[in-house]
Amino acid sequence: MTEGMRFTTPRHREVYVAYGTVYDCVDALAAILFIVGSVLFFGAATQTAGTWLFLIGSVCFAIRPVVHVVRDVHMRRLPKA
């Protein structure tokens, strides 16, 4: 994941990897919510639950770029040496 990348300190690498993990988890959660929501949407009795899962999955997709922005701000604030 970070091969070939240059980091100022080991802490920079740790922070970068940690945010990558958070991003991947949010991404996987969104996918799972959409899959389960899709299955629930097939039944009339479970359509409301499926709709809520679609909405929560959409929020997860909106969080993904925020994770990158927060990571970038965090990385800039780390000491350079």
Side-chain angles (χ1 to χ4, degrees):
M1 173 169 148
T2 60
E3 287 182 35
M5 296 183 73
R6 295 182 189 186
F7 295 99
T8 309
T9 67
R11 180 68 180 141
H12 283 84
R13 177 184 298 277
E14 292 170 5
V15 168
Y16 189 90
V17 169
Y19 279 99
T21 301
V22 170
Y23 182 91
D24 291 343
C25 289
V26 169
D27 206 22
L29 178 61
I32 291 166
L33 290 170
F34 268 85
I35 291 168
V36 174
S38 296
V39 171
L40 292 177
F41 211 72
F42 284 122
T46 57
Q47 280 186 350
T48 301
T51 302
W52 277 104
L53 291 180
F54 286 145
L55 177 61
I56 297 167
S58 296
V59 170
C60 288
F61 282 131
I63 291 171
R64 291 169 62 215
V66 173
V67 171
H68 280 169
V69 171
V70 172
R71 178 202 62 203
D72 292 344
V73 169
H74 191 166
M75 295 285 288
R76 284 190 194 103
R77 290 182 166 195
L78 289 175
K80 301 292 182 209

